[in-house]
Amino acid sequence: MNKPVWLSERVQWIGAFDPDMRSFDVILKTPNGTTYNAYLVRGSEGVAVIDTVKAECADQFFARLEAVCTYAEITTIVLNHLEPDHTGALPELMRRAPQARLYISQSAQLMLKALLNRRDLDFTAVSTGDNVSLGDRNLRFLHTPYLHWPDTQCTYLEEECILFSGDVFGCHFCDERLFNDKVGDFRFAFEYYYARIMRPFREHVMKALTLIDPLPINMIAPTHGPILRDQPTRYLQRYRELSGQRLHKELNAGEKTLIIFYISAYGSTTRMAQAIRDGAEQVAGVRVSLYDMEGGDADLFIDLVEDADGILIGSPTINGDAAKPLWDLLSAFSMVNVRGKLAGAFGSYGWSGEAVQMLEGRMRGLKMRVPLDGVRVKLIPSAEELELCVQHGRTVGEHLTGSNAPRVIDMADLLASRQPEVESNATLTRE
Amino acid sequence: MSKYNITFADIGATVSVPRGTRIVEVAEKVGASIPFGCKENDCGECLVEVLQGVDNLSTPSALEIELLKQKFAKPGCRLACQAMVQGDVTLKPA
Ligand code: FES
Ligand SMILES: [Fe+2]
Ligand SMILES: [Fe+2]
């Protein structure tokens, strides 16, 4: 029970198995549990512990650690990522090995203070190019932020070409055989982990790969799931494929894509959507696609959303809210990176039109940019109102291509235009 | 009250704002692509590069300077949730 596992003569896995875990961080299903991988590296002049485990599994971790070293021997503790699933056992480890020096990434400093609630904390913040020596073993740090938190880094054991990668290249898969050439088929878990955890950060994945690429790699030792010692570079390659451009976009250079998603109850929002499309298409260099969410599932569209330059969402206001398929769509947006994409909303309404502002608010919350107030039409759009929609579409298109005339706005007008509609209640009492 | 122009180079919009307005408030309203998170000098998400008029922003606090350092911010970068307008500025997301 609780035996360490040898990666090499000087490197041991001292992590924990958690076979009963069924969902992780709320968003991930873990049908056969997970592992928290921590490692120990022994050099001629020091011992390093790389990452720890979650608090509930601390006993396993300490038992394995004690089987290969004494606490007094530990000179170095490296934290590649501060999420509690890897730092749960840290306070106790620091208590048992108070002499050990902590190494964390530059971006982890404030987080570490918050995590441990200690002011007197002493640590070394490191970045790419920094090293720590254990005598005949040397650890080199790689600054690989946002995989999947701002604080993440990788640590490379030079003499053995082992990359301790943190969450990246990991997966939730619990198999005590531990090495990728021994465990069951974990490919689905590897892909699923990428899709749910790393995909929104694919640009950061590409940057990390650029740092990792020049290094010879014998083994990738992530913080979850199998240790990748058989053909480790295949997994790097897979990440490269997943993070690079997907299907070649059938676009001319410089063309911008606008996607309009909508739902319509009586056809009014549909007509608005079409009018907005017609307007946007008048702008050279804009390609528009229109999707009625009544005919589609949110997950189906996520690839499109990831590639789009702009996204408009049209919804009627039903019981003071936007239609559910659109909320489902928006909740899928967090699976990809939508930051900075142009966004907007529109829709028809019966007596109050809150949906538009609610959708705009959500998209702002996702850090999309919403430069224009959405168009709202009461009940059936008139010819003039449809013309307004065409106009709006044109303006959206111009914003996408950057061909819009520079605007000068007064802050007071901005504040006024974003006030929630009050007129609706008045209308209601009048009718 | 004195008013100044803050220009978002990425979207070609200039907003005239009262002295002391924080950049992030304007950015959010005008739909500039400047992300933000906490608005409390904690997450560092709201990093902007000031193209013109760096000196027309409020002096950064010690906390902001520390966070800028941690974000490896280039000189001329500020946190949009901290910097207040005290003259004309032009900026873009960093
Ligand atoms: S929004 Fe978090 S630091 Fe500015
Ligand atoms: Fe994590
Ligand atoms: Fe993790």
Side-chain angles (χ1 to χ4, degrees), chain A residues 283-298:
Chain A
V283 180
V286 176
R287 175 115 34 129
V288 192
S289 337
L290 203 59
Y291 296 103
D292 184 345
M293 286 309 291
E294 192 141 11
D297 257 343

Side-chain angles (χ1 to χ4, degrees), chain A residues 106-110 113 127 143 146 339-340 364 367 369-371 399 404-412 414-415 418, chain B residues 3 10-18 21 25-26 28-33 35-37 42 45 66-67 70-72:
Chain A
Q106 303 274 354
S107 340
Q109 302 177 63
L110 288 178
K113 287 178 192 154
S127 187
H143 179 60
Y146 294 102
R339 266 170 108 114
R364 276 206 189 90
K367 309 201 169 108
R369 58 191 185 93
V370 185
H399 268 269
N404 57 314
R407 296 171 295 154
V408 179
I409 311 156
D410 195 283
M411 186 70 182
L414 274 181
L415 290 171
R418 296 289 182 188
Chain B
K3 286 200 145 195
D10 57 326
I11 58 162
T14 299
V15 188
S16 134
V17 302
T21 307
E25 290 166 41
V26 199
E28 190 182 1
K29 288 282 183 293
V30 77
S33 56
F36 58 88
D42 194 28
E45 295 282 287
E66 192 184 337
L67 193 49
Q70 281 184 27
K71 298 291 287 187
F72 304 94

Side-chain angles (χ1 to χ4, degrees), chain A residues 248-286:
Chain A
H248 171 67
K249 263 205 271 183
E250 299 288 336
L251 282 179
N252 307 320
E255 228 174 4
K256 300 286 181 191
T257 49
L258 174 68
I259 307 189
I260 305 177
F261 295 106
Y262 67 94
I263 283 265
S264 196
Y266 301 106
S268 299
T269 304
T270 307
R271 290 169 65 195
M272 293 177 72
Q274 290 162 345
I276 292 172
R277 176 202 50 202
D278 295 347
E281 281 195 330
Q282 291 172 8
V283 180
V286 176

Side-chain angles (χ1 to χ4, degrees), chain A residues 81 83 148 167:
Chain A
H81 176 28
E83 205 171 358
H148 60 129
D167 280 345

Side-chain angles (χ1 to χ4, degrees), chain A residues 24-25 36 81 83 85-86 148 166-167 172 193 223-224:
Chain A
F24 194 90
D25 273 3
Y36 310 100
H81 176 28
E83 205 171 358
D85 55 330
H86 309 295
H148 60 129
D167 280 345
H172 292 308
Y193 194 85
T223 44
H224 298 285

Side-chain angles (χ1 to χ4, degrees), chain A residues 315-392:
Chain A
S315 176
T317 298
I318 301 168
N319 293 333
D321 197 356
K324 178 162 184 298
L326 299 171
W327 288 124
D328 293 346
L329 176 70
L330 280 168
S331 80
F333 277 22
S334 62
M335 284 160 59
V336 293
N337 182 10
V338 292
R339 266 170 108 114
K341 288 188 197 295
L342 183 135
F346 60 93
S348 81
Y349 62 100
W351 64 85
S352 68
E354 301 93 323
V356 169
Q357 283 187 336
M358 294 168 90
L359 292 168
E360 286 175 349
R362 176 73 185 121
M363 289 192 277
R364 276 206 189 90
L366 288 166
K367 309 201 169 108
M368 302 175 81
R369 58 191 185 93
V370 185
L372 299 164
D373 275 340
V375 240
R376 303 184 308 163
V377 165
K378 187 161 170 132
L379 295 167
I380 314 292
S382 64
E384 298 84 71
E385 284 168 328
L386 283 177
E387 186 43 43
L388 267 181
C389 291
V390 173
Q391 184 67 54
H392 183 71

